[in-house]
């Protein structure tokens, strides 16, 4: 037997056994964000200049583009996990479904735009228009 009443089990009320999975993913992405943000800060601090051309050339390198894409993916996934908890706790009914849809749409769209921008810089480096 488990915790809760039989009626609660029939209705699907109670633990969905997803809490530890969600908690673990938040901790993993928090660690990845910490490591990758430290990389970003140190990499930018080591640049000789902070003008557009220097930053563009730096981002065109695979040594910068790949960790930056990983940072974008990790930050947006962590962002979604955190807001998902807030929505599940404070939004109810049909509004919850709409809020979760909007959150997922925004997260995927914003991350895709950021990753596309990084890839465009990386793949078009050295191309004269």
């Amino acid at each position: 037997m488990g915790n809760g009443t039989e009626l609660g089990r029939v209705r699907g009320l109670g633990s969905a056994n997803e809490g530890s999975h969600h908690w673990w993913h938040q901790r993993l992405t928090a660690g990845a964000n910490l490591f990758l943000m430290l990389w970003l800060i140190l990499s930018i601090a080591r640049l000789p200049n902070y003008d557009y051309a220097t930053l563009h050339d730096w981002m065109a390198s695979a040594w910068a583009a790949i960790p930056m894409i990983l940072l974008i993916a990790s930050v947006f996934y962590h962002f979604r996990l955190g807001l998902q908890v807030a929505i599940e706790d404070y939004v109810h009914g049909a509004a919850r479904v709409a809020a979760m849809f909007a959150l997922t749409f925004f997260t995927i769209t914003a991350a895709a735009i950021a990753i596309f921008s990084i890839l465009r810089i990386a793949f078009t480096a050295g191309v004269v228009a």
Side-chain angles (χ1 to χ4, degrees):
M1 287 277 154
N3 293 336
T5 65
E6 290 184 31
L7 180 60
R9 268 184 254 115
V10 169
R11 289 183 177 168
L13 302 175
S15 174
N17 296 322
E18 285 292 320
S20 63
H21 177 264
H22 189 98
W23 181 88
W24 187 240
H25 277 219
Q26 274 195 307
R27 296 323 176 264
L28 286 175
T29 57
N33 290 347
L34 185 64
F35 175 73
L36 290 167
M37 285 302 285
L38 183 62
W39 163 82
L40 179 64
I41 291 167
L42 293 176
S43 294
I44 290 178
R46 294 184 66 211
L47 291 175
N49 199 354
Y50 300 117
D51 62 346
Y52 176 80
T54 304
L55 289 170
H56 187 275
D57 291 343
W58 172 74
M59 184 58 69
S61 164
W63 293 106
I66 292 171
M68 186 63 81
I69 289 171
L70 292 174
L71 176 64
I72 295 296
S74 180
V75 164
F76 276 99
Y77 185 54
H78 186 78
F79 168 79
R80 189 195 178 286
L81 289 172
L83 283 182
Q84 177 183 345
V85 170
I87 290 170
E88 288 172 350
D89 287 347
Y90 298 109
V91 181
H92 304 288
R96 176 186 288 183
V97 175
M100 288 300 296
F101 177 78
L103 173 64
T104 302
F105 179 77
F106 171 77
T107 304
I108 291 172
T109 302
I113 289 169
I115 290 171
F116 174 78
S117 300
I118 293 167
L119 291 174
R120 183 170 181 217
I121 292 169
F123 288 136
T124 60
V127 176
V128 178

